[in-house]
Amino acid sequence: MAEHVTGDRVYAEQVRQLYRLSRPAYLGTLINSSILVFALWGIVSGTLLGAWLCAMFLVTGARYLLYRAHRGTNPPDEEAPRWARRFVMGTGAAGLLWGLAGSVLYPVSSLPHQFLVIFLIGGMMVAAMVVLGPLRQAFLTYVLPAFIPLIAMVFAQGTTLHLFMGVLIIVLLGVVLGTSPVLAQIVRESLRVKFENSMLVEQLSQANRELSERISAQQSAEEVLRQTSQKLEALIDASPISIMARDQNLRILKWNAAAERMFGWSEREVLGGTVPFVPPELEDEAVALRQQLLRGESITDFETMRMRKDGARINISISTTVMRDASGQPAGFISLATDITERKRAERRLQMEHAVTRILEESRTVEDALPHLLRTIAEASGWVYGARWELDKAANLLRCMETWCVDAPEVREFMAFSRLRTQTPGASKGPIHQVWGSNAPVWIADVAQEINMRRGPAALKAGLHSIFAFPIVVGEEFYGVIELFGREVRQPDPGLVGVVHTIGSQLGQFMARKAAEQNLRFVASHDPLTGLFNRNIFNERLHQALAQAARFERSLSLLFIDLDGFKLINDTHGHNAGDALLAELAARLRTTLREGDVIGRMGGDEFVVLIEEFAEVSQVAEVAKKLLDTVTRPFVLHGQSCQVTASLGISIYPDDGSDAQTLLKNADMAMYLVKQQGKNSFRFYSPQMNVHLMERLSLESGLRHAIERGELLLLYQPRVGVRDGQVTGMEALMRWQHPTQGMIGPSEFIPVAEDAGLMAAIGEWALHSACRQARAWRDLGLPMLRVAVNLSHKQFQQESLIQVVREALHRVTLEPARLELEITEEMVIRNPERAVRLLTQLKEIGVRVVVDGFGTGYSSLSFLRRLPIDSVKIDRSLIVDLPRNSDAAALTRGVVAMAHSLGLTVIAEGVETREQWEFLHQQGCEEMQGNYFSAPVMPEIVPGIVRQPAAAGGRANVQTLRSRRADGDTDSQT
């Protein structure tokens, strides 16, 4: 392959030399051809000479252009044959032209000129041997076309001279042809030698360069190795990782500065020896690791504990690489060790946080969680004693609650000592008080230096030298303290301090959540106001008690308590005062009852008591008396003394029922009967009470449909002037025309309507009916009559009362002055501000307002002065004993005088006799009302009474209509 490459290169170089050598020949050709034409001019035809010369110039010019093209392109070796062919074609054309010169232009007539032609062509051929010597093909294509025509022309002359001349030319041709290969071979060999020498020189140069590069590279490598060694030394010394190099016998060869800082020994102290940092308790582990290394096995990220020079334990991660000799045997060891103490602490803290979270999630109560939590925190962070101190907000002190310690007598003694103590504000400046005051963690590294700690001597006696305490908080609210004691003097651990913020908050949230859950359970089972069992839990306890009583054939009693007059307390003093009364009453009732008795609040002002294990029913009666006495004791509400009573019903198991519902119903029935019979007492259930209850239920059911069926009606009782006997107005009094029971008076069905919530509808019906009747009387042409309508408590409390009154007047187009509304002092005194505002609005409409039942105990001159009213009506309880009862007479005089002093009209109701009329006339009473003048009458009778007035002190001549079932009913109720 090398020879082929060299031959190609020689041939290409021959072609290049051919082109290079041909450049002077072009000029010589032009000169010689010009000389030849000049010499032959006149001897040979000028036309031929000119044509020949032009052809020579064209061929020479073309050859020159070919030369320039070759020089300009400098073609690669692969194109040499193509350029050689082009050159040969040029030399062949030039040789052919010289052959024409030796034949066509041969000067036959002039021998001298013949010699000139022969000499010139022969000289050109000799010159061509040199110029065209590099390429034999070019030489032959030039020489042969030039000589052969000349030789033929010379021999053609036929003379001896020309014969010898032809032979000489042939000899010359032979010499030229014989010499030409030699010259070509010499050229080729010289070129081959040149190229071989060049290649040899190049190879020698390359080898020299490679050797130089190798030497340079070796020097560089040695320098790099030297620098690398220095850098490695510097890197090892500067590395933050502890690095030690050991020989095949595990003797220390290198011990960097990081190892000195980590373990405390200097390099000088450890060189030539084995590692000094193995704790005695881990010697077996170290032996196993050494054997592993000597077997040629590396160690990777092995975590263990090692010892510093000062004896402190640290956690490290160590990796050791084995360096081997040529035979593969261990020749040394490089060990890297990192201090992972902080990481291990962080892991333990993280594990501790997870464990704390798990404990708090799995524990049902604070008492269950805290012992496990204290132990987890203490063991995870290296403490030997832990305790929780809880804040008693009521007493403003800290109490030691849950504790934990290691099994050591001296530590247990300290734990017992701490459990007996309490911490009060300002009593000490120890860690607990510091946490209490700052709501932040406190770390005491050495108890011996803490002179303000009262438990310091006891802690030192137990071998406890360090303390860490942190708060239990929810938000900013302080719940208590966790304290931890350790045996060693221990510097603060910022990581642990940071973690306990989370733990303290977690624990605080856990305690708050458990307290909330406990409160929720309490609220679910207890009445939040009184703290007594609510209805559901009381019923559960009652069912349990009934099951036990049935199983063991025992009796139990149920006491149903309902307060009397509690609504008045709420209305008079406000609901807050009512709540305070109920809370205090609940506390009183609990104190009155035995520990095993169960009491609950059923709702509102109703309480129920369950009594078990009594021998005689009389014992239950004694409990009932005590409860009533407890209720009647005065209560102080907002600085005022208030008093309520109670109605109490009792049912006995199994006599009055065998299930909870029946017992509760019967006790409630007995309580209701007490209320009807005067309140402030107790009563045992009896079957006869069912009859009364059924009557009441039937009455309530019928009353709900009474308005629809038109069973309610209004009777009107005239009100007349005491002095002149003229009728001034009518009071609308309601009756119920029951389809089966006849006429029922208001005292019997009004309480039922109030309890059933029907009074608002009934009162509104009465108001509309009275206004409609007043309009009918006006249309009959009767003189001015005012119709008085009694407002119930429910109506007076309605926010829509003014609208209802306006609508009743507007619907029948009645003048407001014809309507009077009667209210009681009790209604007004419950909410004086609202009452004044409401009465003012009624007065603005034009409706008259009368205070009914005046003089029954609420009367106050200063209070009446505030009310925008027109009249007062003396209560019938004062009128009934007139004039014989001196107290009643004195009170009546006072009421009349008080009303007149305020400019109010006085009306007396319930006047039954002439003597009462005369007394009232003497006292200046303006109007009266009662059966003395006329009982309540149907509305169609009223025109006759008005048109035929009786004389002063006389009676109306009408037939009265009285209630069939309530002859003794009063008519003061609507």
Side-chain angles (χ1 to χ4, degrees), residues 118-434:
I118 293 169
F119 175 78
L120 186 57
I121 294 175
M124 291 297 293
M125 297 307 106
V126 173
M129 184 177 62
V130 176
V131 173
L132 303 178
L135 190 64
R136 181 173 173 77
Q137 184 180 5
F139 173 72
L140 293 176
T141 57
Y142 184 79
V143 171
L144 292 178
F147 264 105
I148 291 174
L150 178 61
I151 293 172
M153 194 64 187
V154 171
F155 278 111
Q157 297 304 315
T159 66
T160 303
L161 179 60
H162 284 90
L163 178 63
F164 286 112
M165 287 173 62
V167 172
L168 289 174
I169 293 172
I170 291 173
V171 171
L172 177 61
L173 179 60
V175 172
V176 170
L177 292 176
T179 305
S180 172
V182 175
L183 290 176
Q185 183 65 30
I186 290 172
V187 170
R188 285 194 299 270
E189 289 299 328
S190 64
L191 290 175
R192 183 177 289 106
V193 170
K194 173 186 173 183
F195 283 121
E196 288 177 353
N197 290 340
S198 176
M199 292 176 65
L200 180 60
V201 170
E202 184 177 353
Q203 290 175 358
L204 290 175
S205 299
Q206 181 65 26
N208 186 47
R209 285 194 301 272
E210 290 178 358
L211 181 59
S212 299
E213 289 174 358
R214 288 180 183 178
I215 293 173
S216 177
Q218 184 175 359
Q219 291 175 346
S220 299
E222 291 175 353
E223 179 63 22
V224 169
L225 181 60
R226 185 185 64 79
Q227 293 179 1
T228 302
S229 298
Q230 290 179 347
K231 290 179 181 179
L232 182 60
E233 287 284 337
L235 182 62
I236 290 175
D237 288 335
S239 173
I241 300 175
S242 298
I243 301 176
M244 54 185 148
R246 291 179 284 179
D247 61 16
Q248 67 272 22
N249 296 318
L250 296 173
R251 301 287 178 181
I252 296 175
L253 300 176
K254 180 65 180 175
W255 181 270
N256 71 345
E260 292 182 357
R261 291 192 298 271
M262 181 184 293
F263 298 107
W265 286 279
S266 66
E267 186 176 32
R268 188 180 68 256
E269 292 176 301
V270 298
L271 286 180
T274 59
V275 290
F277 46 60
V278 178
E281 66 271 15
L282 296 178
E283 187 59 40
D284 292 341
E285 176 191 274
V287 170
L289 292 176
R290 284 195 290 268
Q291 292 175 351
Q292 180 178 341
L293 291 175
L294 293 175
R295 290 195 302 269
E297 300 175 6
S298 298
I299 298 172
T300 303
D301 294 333
F302 181 77
E303 296 183 359
T304 184
M305 181 178 289
R306 290 296 181 256
M307 182 175 62
R308 287 176 46 84
K309 184 178 181 180
D310 59 8
R313 301 300 200 267
I314 59 173
N315 294 99
I316 68 168
S317 174
I318 189 167
S319 297
T320 302
T321 300
V322 181
M323 298 183 296
R324 303 179 186 277
D325 56 20
S327 63
Q329 295 300 314
F333 307 92
I334 298 292
S335 296
L336 284 75
T338 54
D339 188 348
I340 60 172
T341 304
E342 285 302 319
R343 194 193 81 194
K344 285 295 184 181
R345 287 178 182 171
E347 289 176 356
R348 287 194 293 269
R349 289 194 291 265
L350 184 60
Q351 292 171 357
M352 177 179 67
E353 288 186 81
H354 290 167
V356 168
T357 301
R358 186 181 66 256
I359 290 170
L360 295 181
E361 286 178 351
E362 296 174 353
S363 300
R364 299 183 60 184
T365 64
V366 175
E367 292 73 17
D368 292 339
L370 263 298
H372 299 292
L373 186 139
L374 288 173
R375 180 173 183 173
T376 298
I377 296 175
E379 290 181 343
S381 49
W383 306 97
V384 297
Y385 166 75
R388 177 177 76 97
W389 294 77
E390 183 178 74
L391 176 63
D392 184 342
K393 295 182 180 179
N396 194 28
L397 55 82
L398 289 170
R399 302 182 189 277
C400 184
M401 304 301 288
E402 299 83 11
T403 58
W404 173 87
C405 70
V406 296
D407 190 10
E410 65 278 8
V411 181
R412 289 189 176 278
E413 182 180 349
F414 177 75
M415 182 174 69
F417 170 75
S418 295
R419 288 182 67 88
L420 298 175
R421 301 180 63 84
T422 58
Q423 305 286 346
T424 55
S428 171
K429 294 182 180 179
I432 292 179
H433 292 82
Q434 294 181 41

Side-chain angles (χ1 to χ4, degrees), residues 452-471:
N452 294 320
M453 182 178 174
R454 292 189 300 174
R455 289 185 296 155
L460 293 173
K461 181 181 177 182
L464 305 176
H465 293 85
S466 56
I467 306 174
F468 177 43
F470 62 90

Side-chain angles (χ1 to χ4, degrees), residues 33 45 363 366 506 597 721 725 736 824 844:
S33 61
S45 170
S363 300
V366 175
Q506 277 184 296
D597 296 335
W736 180 11
T824 65
E844 290 173 354

Side-chain angles (χ1 to χ4, degrees), residues 683-733:
R683 182 163 184 165
F684 286 90
Y685 169 78
S686 64
Q688 291 75 16
M689 294 179 182
N690 280 327
V691 176
H692 178 80
L693 180 61
M694 293 305 297
E695 289 180 355
R696 176 183 172 85
L697 292 176
S698 175
L699 200 65
E700 180 179 327
S701 177
L703 191 58
R704 290 185 181 277
H705 304 286
I707 297 178
E708 306 172 0
R709 296 170 180 169
E711 296 173 359
L712 294 181
L713 56 88
L714 292 180
L715 301 182
Y716 296 89
Q717 187 172 37
R719 200 169 65 206
V720 299
V722 174
R723 291 182 174 81
D724 57 12
Q726 296 295 318
V727 178
T728 59
M730 295 286 171
E731 181 177 3
L733 301 173

Side-chain angles (χ1 to χ4, degrees), residues 799 802 806 834-847 868:
E799 295 297 331
I802 299 299
R806 289 181 185 274
R834 180 182 181 277
V836 170
R837 184 173 64 254
L838 191 61
L839 296 179
T840 301
Q841 291 175 326
L842 290 173
K843 292 294 292 180
E844 290 173 354
I845 295 174
V847 175

